[in-house]
Amino acid sequence: MLPEWVNRTWLRLKALTKRAQLDRDLEDEVAFHLAMRERKNRADGAYADEARCAARRQFGSATLVKEEARTMRTFYGLETFSKDIRYGLRMLRKNPGFSVIAILTVALGIGASTAIFSVVNSVLLRPLPYEQPERLVQVWESNPQRGDERNVVNPMNFLDWREQNQTFTSMAAVVDGSTTLRMGGEPLEVPAILVSPQFFSMLGVAPLLGRTFTDEDGIRGHDQSVVLSYEFWQQQFGGRADVVNRRLQVDEEPATIVGVMPRGFALPNVKGSMWLPFVIDRSDRFAQEGRYMMVVARLKPGVSLSQAQQDMERVAQRTVEARPNFNTGWTAKVLPMLADATRDVRQPLLVLLSAVGFVLLIACANVANLLLMRGTRRGREIAVRAALGAARGRLVRQLLAESLLLAAAGTLGGLAIARWGLNGLLALIPEAAPLPRMQSIRMDSAVFLFALGLAFCTTVLFGLLPALRLSRVNLHDTLKQGTLRGGVGGNRVLRQTLVVAEIALALVLSVGAGLLLRSFYRLISVDLGFQPEHVVSMHVSVSPVKHPDGPDRARYITSLLEAVRRTPGVQAAGTTHFLPLEDRVSGSCFALGAALPTNDADAPDSQFLVITPGYFEAMGTPLLSGRDFSERDASGVPSAAIVNEAFVKRFLGGGDAVGKQLSVCWTVPNPVQIVGVVANARQTRLKDAPEPTIFLSNMQAPMYGATFVVRAAGDPGQIVRSVEMAIHRVDPEEAISEVQTMMHVFSDSASDARFQVVLLMIFAGIAVALAMIGVYGVVSYSVGQRTQEIGIRMAMGADARAIARMVLREAMLLAGLAVAIGLAGALALTRVMESLLYETKPTDAVTLVASCVAILLVAIGAAMLPARRAMRVDPMVALHYE
Amino acid sequence: MADKKERAAELLQGTLDLLILKSLERGAMHGYGVAEWIHESSQDVLRVEEGALYPALHRLELRGLLSAQWGISDNNRRAKYYALTGAGRKQLAQETEYWRRMSGAMARVLQTA
């Protein structure tokens, strides 16, 4: 025999298709029974009418029997479900105002959550687009004593790592920079990335056209090979397939394009227009000095992260033994590639996601409240249904069906809002602080699943509570009362609880937004140490082919500077090798006095910047003592240095610095004499306090490129063209890039903080608005309920203001309670924001107090309207109300 | 899912099911016949609301304990005849055995009290 459920399901399926037939059969069966019983009754001596009535009586409710048999036969749930949905639709159409508000509220909550989740999903969750991305790691040098966990890597150390490790299948070095490209016309300065030849095969990504690098590429004597990015290929070559094998000049040397990578291919935080092969020669000077490479690697199958970490610590120890002067104190750190790439954005994104989660919760509370209020008006309808025999489960199902409809409509609207909001969100993400993997942000199937899940959860959240509450009707009271009010006891408390929760959540969000706002304000009003107004900057890279030796490069820069200074409208000009506020600076060791540090690793560390005379004047950084660099500080004369206040304070005990001698680990003849002291200025990021810095003269320590800073008398944008022309008069082929005003640089440096504050303000705004609607709803409902009472009070002589006070008291009580709860919640939750805040504590009293006051005012404001309505109650009308 | 519906009659349901199975032991019968048999054989002690019989019959049919067929009654009307299936017979034997033991035990308990 078949299992019981198979048989049952079969009969039910049959029932579904032949419902009419089965209904007729049931009808016949009951009729037959009644007829037989009637005949028996008559045979027992009853009259015709009486016999029939008795038969009916003995049978009981035929309707109930049929109903029960029917529900048994069919997929009862399915059928009633569609009935519930149709009924729900009718109810929603009957109350368009209610439906629109509820759907919009849900749509807003789901839309905001889905938009932010799209970002979180694309940036934090989705695997990187490489082969077996979970086995890819970044390896950094780390120096625990200096609290430096992720430092770029020295080339020699990289070579040792690669040769001696036992846990990686391959390891590649990555250095981002720029090159000058020449394809016939004007030279072009493009971002280019140097990579070990095995970089592409390690990631497991095949080229779109041509090939990637082989082991021969990059070996000296071979022709230079170039792999283009899809985007650069489209933009410069119009996507032509015959670009492979094309020849061009890279940094004045002949090169061949060997391949094009697929669209979007890049390391998460390293964008470039092209890749160049990078082969390190141990005998190169630049291989032995400095740390400047990123290292990516692929774990061997079955090797865990901690095994790889142990292995690398072992290898790093060997590099310390091999080169103790350079490596003492340094070890290696292995981090999963995805976590490493998203390290800086994880916290802000999760804060934003929680914020929209709060908005969604508030939206649910609001809709639950609306449902409860409307449900209370429907108390009689529900009671009548219950009296007619509707089981409680049936009522709950029906009420839930309505919620499901609301949620479905809200989710559709929410997806539309999310789509639109996501575009807005992406537009809001600052160019200067792009999110890693930003170009891959989109709404994919995971996002839709998320929205679907939200729809389900919200239905349960805002639908179940009211449904359970409303279906628990007290038939006797509700029907007897027979008034419009037909109240269902206890709803009032539930509604008030929901509103308190809403206000409390809105307060938490407001505190979060307030903290960010305050932190943002502190950040942008920080003392920069320079005057960004009227300053424009541009980068000039000096061709190593045209100017192979250092003094020649330095003279070339000086000649460019002289030309720029002669340009009308230019007040001052200078160069630096790293512009402030772009998170770039050099660091190296030094020693006080004439002797070089004996051991690099133990020597004190300072930031280093190489500048020309006029840099401080152009930037507006005050010279505190001594002098600026001048033409006298050329090669062949004793080296000069300028230090900043932080340096003097940290290393010279705040004493007199000018005239003191230093020895520095830099390509400059030692000793170096301090000739001047300048004020502190922010260099790396806006939020980083100035560090001790040694400035060297570009004449004595020439760099390959220089970033010009030019102070204009008026609008800096207007001198750009003439400054460029002045440079091109010296060398028409000079590639000028990254032209931007210092105000722009300054604004960019605050852009990620601005992005966070703007988003959180928007979410807090929505939250407060929803909470306001919630308060308004509850208070105006209770005014409606108490119309009669208010009428009596007024008839007894209460004045309008007393009535208003009575109404406002409810709002005040709710808001007061909510503020107390919300404050506790804020204190507990805003701690996670600590890392996002600049010189602002999560317990910042001003923010807390201001948020509480604002929320209280908003709550009172929302109650004002119903309070005014209460004041205008006409006693006569109110008393005739029923 | 539907037959899990809570009804006050649930307590009686098991009993009613057993009565129905018993009534069909000697051959197929229509619903009215089952009702009559229960009245007569229990000497009207078990007063079943006759309507309640039908959901029970249908439930047993769905569970595969009864089979049903439309036929012509002795007064020439279309009527639905129920009969025990193999599974129904087995269920009847089990239930009967259970009731015997139960009522025996109850009787002993009540006597000693």
Side-chain angles (χ1 to χ4, degrees):
Chain A
M1 201 189 101
L2 287 169
E4 189 183 306
W5 67 267
V6 175
N7 187 40
R8 201 187 299 199
T9 310
W10 169 242
L11 284 170
R12 283 181 176 184
L13 275 174
K14 225 165 65 183
L16 207 59
T17 51
K18 301 197 296 185
R19 206 167 60 189
Q21 168 78 43
L22 284 170
D23 278 357
R24 256 199 319 279
D25 283 355
L26 190 61
E27 203 80 45
D28 285 357
E29 202 177 1
V30 172
F32 172 75
H33 183 108
L34 289 174
M36 292 294 282
R37 176 62 65 209
E38 188 184 335
R39 200 173 67 166
K40 171 91 186 303
N41 288 345
R42 285 180 74 171
D44 286 352
Y47 290 113
D49 284 359
E50 206 192 301
R52 185 173 304 136
C53 287
R56 291 253 162 86
R57 210 162 44 238
Q58 281 159 315
F59 193 83
S61 163
T63 322
L64 208 63
V65 167
K66 287 181 204 162
E67 182 74 18
E68 201 178 328
R70 213 175 282 139
T71 62
M72 208 187 311
R73 284 273 174 199
T74 57
F75 288 102
Y76 173 72
L78 207 68
E79 255 179 62
T80 52
F81 178 71
S82 75
K83 214 176 283 172
D84 285 343
I85 291 289
R86 280 199 300 274
Y87 183 79
L89 271 177
R90 214 157 50 228
M91 290 309 291
L92 292 183
R93 267 207 303 272
K94 251 171 73 180
N95 290 296
F98 161 82
S99 309
V100 166
I101 290 181
I103 291 172
L104 273 183
T105 309
V106 177
L108 208 59
I110 290 192
S113 309
T114 306
I116 293 292
F117 180 75
S118 305
V119 176
V120 168
N121 177 51
S122 307
V123 174
L124 297 185
L125 303 180
R126 197 188 295 145
L128 291 161
Y130 316 121
E131 193 185 304
Q132 289 196 309
E134 70 286 351
R135 312 220 46 89
L136 290 170
V137 294
Q138 303 254 42
V139 193
W140 301 96
E141 289 204 49
S142 74
N143 193 326
Q145 287 154 302
R146 293 191 202 168
D148 186 359
E149 208 197 18
R150 300 167 64 257
N151 200 87
V152 271
V153 179
N154 167 260
M156 294 281 272
N157 288 347
F158 163 72
L159 290 177
D160 286 349
W161 289 0
R162 192 161 67 178
E163 282 156 22
Q164 296 171 20
N165 86 79
Q166 294 167 352
T167 44
F168 300 102
T169 53
S170 59
M171 206 180 247
V174 178
V175 180
D176 66 340
S178 69
T179 60
T180 309
L181 213 62
R182 189 193 290 279
M183 297 175 294
E186 289 248 314
L188 201 64
E189 184 76 12
V190 296
I193 302 162
L194 297 170
V195 293
S196 307
Q198 49 276 83
F199 171 76
F200 296 98
S201 56
M202 188 190 76
L203 294 183
V205 181
L208 185 69
L209 290 177
R211 61 172 179 91
T212 55
F213 299 136
T214 62
D215 287 347
E216 278 91 60
D217 283 309
I219 293 178
R220 234 146 272 178
H222 282 70
D223 217 17
Q224 174 91 296
S225 306
V226 179
V227 171
L228 300 184
S229 77
Y230 181 91
E231 292 72 20
F232 187 70
W233 172 57
Q234 288 290 331
Q235 176 200 324
Q236 287 295 323
F237 299 95
R240 291 164 55 122
D242 62 3
V243 72
V244 174
N245 292 329
R246 224 183 119 148
R247 306 193 47 88
L248 69 172
Q249 298 251 304
V250 174
D251 287 336
E252 313 294 336
E253 281 179 47
T256 309
I257 297 172
V258 297
V260 177
M261 289 310 285
R263 182 200 293 266
F265 173 82
L267 276 188
N269 290 322
V270 191
K271 304 277 169 294
S273 299
M274 57 175 53
W275 292 270
L276 301 169
F278 181 36
V279 175
I280 305 152
D281 190 336
R282 281 185 191 268
S283 60
D284 266 351
R285 189 175 57 84
F286 70 83
Q288 291 157 14
E289 287 174 2
R291 295 181 163 89
Y292 54 88
M293 307 193 319
M294 286 198 345
V295 173
V296 288
R298 180 177 286 279
L299 293 172
K300 279 184 182 161
V303 169
S304 73
L305 199 65
S306 61
Q307 283 168 333
Q309 176 64 38
Q310 276 176 14
D311 185 36
M312 282 310 298
E313 279 167 17
R314 175 187 63 83
V315 175
Q317 186 52 42
R318 305 246 304 252
T319 65
V320 172
E321 286 154 16
R323 292 179 294 281
N325 273 359
F326 187 72
N327 283 331
T328 300
W330 290 89
T331 177
K333 181 84 190 167
V334 184
L335 292 166
M337 192 185 267
L338 180 57
D340 189 72
T342 55
R343 176 185 82 263
D344 291 337
V345 296
R346 174 171 292 271
Q347 192 75 359
L349 280 181
L350 292 182
V351 165
L352 285 178
L353 191 65
S354 337
V356 282
F358 278 23
V359 172
L360 184 63
L361 278 179
I362 296 174
C364 283
N366 235 347
V367 175
N369 237 337
L370 283 171
L371 283 170
L372 273 174
M373 267 186 271
R374 198 186 52 143
T376 312
R377 287 192 204 108
R378 281 169 64 184
R380 251 171 79 80
E381 174 212 327
I382 291 167
V384 168
R385 289 167 147 260
L388 288 177
R392 183 163 179 223
R394 185 78 180 68
L395 284 174
V396 170
R397 271 206 297 275
Q398 193 212 315
L399 291 167
L400 269 182
E402 279 185 57
S403 308
L404 194 65
L405 277 174
L406 284 178
T411 306
L412 280 181
L415 282 174
I417 291 181
R419 220 189 137 66
W420 170 83
L422 188 58
N423 287 339
L425 197 65
L426 290 180
L428 241 152
I429 295 176
E431 242 175 88
L435 293 173
R437 311 210 275 158
M438 199 175 122
Q439 63 292 344
S440 74
I441 293 175
R442 59 173 190 270
M443 290 169 68
D444 59 5
S445 51
V447 172
F448 284 108
L449 272 181
F450 176 80
L452 218 63
L454 281 189
F456 178 76
C457 293
T458 48
T459 310
V460 171
L461 270 180
F462 70 65
L464 198 58
L465 204 60
L468 286 178
R469 178 54 65 93
L470 292 172
S471 62
R472 203 167 64 204
V473 283
N474 182 337
L475 285 186
H476 188 251
D477 289 352
T478 312
L479 292 177
K480 197 179 69 180
Q481 215 176 8
T483 67
L484 278 170
R485 286 199 258 147
V488 181
N491 276 353
R492 192 178 145 88
V493 175
L494 183 56
R495 278 199 309 271
Q496 290 176 334
T497 311
L498 285 171
V499 165
V500 167
E502 279 183 52
I503 305 175
L505 285 172
L507 177 64
V508 174
L509 274 189
S510 306
V511 170
L515 287 173
L516 275 185
L517 189 66
R518 203 161 154 78
S519 145
F520 179 69
Y521 180 73
R522 288 208 170 124
L523 187 63
I524 58 168
S525 36
V526 82
D527 178 20
L528 294 174
F530 59 86
Q531 313 294 327
E533 303 89 353
H534 303 295
V535 177
V536 66
S537 77
M538 57 189 74
H539 185 73
V540 167
S541 63
V542 181
S543 159
V545 176
K546 280 188 186 170
H547 308 280
D549 78 302
D552 181 38
R553 281 201 302 276
R555 274 194 299 278
Y556 173 65
I557 295 286
T558 306
S559 64
L560 292 182
L561 260 182
E562 277 163 6
V564 169
R565 289 202 184 105
R566 281 196 303 270
T567 309
V570 171
Q571 280 191 339
T575 78
T576 174
H577 81 284
F578 283 137
L579 208 59
L581 306 186
E582 295 200 316
D583 204 7
R584 289 193 294 187
V585 74
S586 294
S588 197
C589 55
F590 71 95
L592 295 173
L596 245 186
T598 47
N599 183 340
D600 284 15
D602 292 337
D605 229 37
S606 168
Q607 294 189 344
F608 277 76
L609 287 169
V610 178
I611 59 169
T612 60
Y615 171 73
F616 294 119
E617 194 191 344
M619 290 298 282
T621 302
L623 189 68
L624 300 179
S625 63
R627 61 170 178 90
D628 189 7
F629 291 129
S630 74
E631 312 308 325
R632 281 179 292 151
D633 305 308
S635 59
V637 306
S639 311
I642 295 174
V643 295
N644 66 355
E645 269 182 290
F647 186 94
V648 175
K649 192 168 169 215
R650 173 100 50 96
F651 297 116
L652 301 172
D656 197 18
V658 176
K660 291 239 162 63
Q661 283 195 330
L662 301 174
S663 298
V664 296
C665 318
W666 198 269
T667 52
V668 68
N670 277 320
V672 178
Q673 189 174 42
I674 299 175
V675 298
V677 176
V678 287
N680 287 335
R682 306 252 151 174
Q683 173 67 28
T684 43
R685 291 176 300 181
L686 208 46
K687 63 179 171 186
D688 298 332
E691 290 286 318
T693 307
I694 298 172
F695 296 90
L696 297 173
S697 162
N698 192 54
M699 310 270 285
Q700 293 173 331
M703 303 293 289
Y704 277 89
T707 299
F708 281 63
V709 288
V710 183
R711 177 166 293 275
D715 178 5
Q718 287 188 341
I719 62 163
V720 169
R721 193 73 208 116
S722 43
V723 167
E724 281 179 353
M725 277 161 64
I727 290 173
H728 280 149
R729 265 198 298 278
V730 179
D731 182 351
E733 290 182 339
E734 186 52 71
I736 299 170
S737 62
E738 292 169 57
V739 179
Q740 52 189 342
T741 64
M742 265 328 275
M743 279 311 279
H744 188 89
V745 173
F746 169 55
S747 162
D748 275 357
S749 67
S751 56
D752 53 343
R754 188 182 303 119
F755 172 70
Q756 289 158 15
V757 80
V758 165
L759 274 191
L760 212 57
M761 296 276 285
I762 291 175
F763 296 149
I766 296 175
V768 169
L770 287 176
M772 204 167 161
I773 295 174
V775 173
Y776 169 80
V778 159
V779 174
S780 75
Y781 184 80
S782 86
V783 166
Q785 294 262 291
R786 293 162 78 180
T787 304
Q788 197 180 17
E789 178 203 329
I790 293 169
I792 291 172
R793 281 173 189 266
M794 288 182 111
M796 302 289 283
D799 79 342
R801 268 192 290 169
I803 299 291
R805 264 202 303 279
M806 183 182 85
V807 173
L808 287 180
R809 199 180 307 130
E810 184 186 3
M812 287 295 288
L813 273 174
L814 293 181
L817 186 60
V819 162
I821 296 171
L823 209 53
L827 286 175
L829 291 174
T830 49
R831 230 174 302 159
V832 303
M833 294 177 58
E834 200 146 17
S835 66
L836 308 189
L837 298 177
Y838 174 74
E839 286 184 1
T840 307
K841 284 210 170 60
T843 51
D844 185 66
V846 175
T847 309
L848 289 174
V849 170
S851 304
C852 291
V853 170
I855 287 281
L856 283 174
L857 287 178
V858 163
I860 295 170
M864 279 312 263
L865 223 61
R868 284 171 61 123
R869 203 180 315 136
M871 284 164 72
R872 284 200 300 267
V873 162
D874 181 343
M876 287 313 286
V877 177
L879 293 175
H880 284 126
Y881 190 54
E882 282 163 2
Chain B
M1 92 187 96
D3 45 14
K4 278 188 198 140
K5 269 184 106 173
E6 293 163 23
R7 294 247 151 211
E10 202 168 353
L11 237 168
L12 258 179
Q13 191 185 303
T15 330
L16 185 57
D17 288 357
L18 179 56
L19 288 175
I20 291 172
L21 293 175
K22 185 73 185 166
S23 71
L24 296 172
E25 201 181 12
R26 257 167 292 161
M29 228 192 299
H30 45 63
Y32 176 76
V34 173
E36 279 295 279
W37 182 87
I38 292 175
H39 278 307
E40 281 162 18
S41 53
S42 71
Q43 281 128 24
D44 281 0
V45 171
L46 292 173
R47 295 206 63 89
V48 181
E49 203 176 50
E50 291 177 5
L53 207 54
Y54 287 90
L57 281 167
H58 291 189
R59 193 179 305 110
L60 290 172
E61 185 192 348
L62 273 174
R63 286 174 59 191
L65 301 178
L66 301 182
S67 63
Q69 225 169 358
W70 286 90
I72 303 299
S73 74
D74 19 325
N75 62 344
N76 235 356
R77 290 187 61 145
R78 211 169 85 93
K80 194 177 180 185
Y81 283 82
Y82 295 90
L84 283 181
T85 63
R89 237 167 251 290
K90 216 156 78 191
Q91 175 81 3
L92 175 60
Q94 275 170 12
E95 290 280 298
T96 312
E97 176 53 30
Y98 172 76
W99 264 97
R100 284 231 171 85
R101 281 216 319 269
M102 193 68 181
S103 55
M106 286 303 289
R108 275 195 300 282
V109 169
L110 293 174
Q111 264 167 11
T112 54

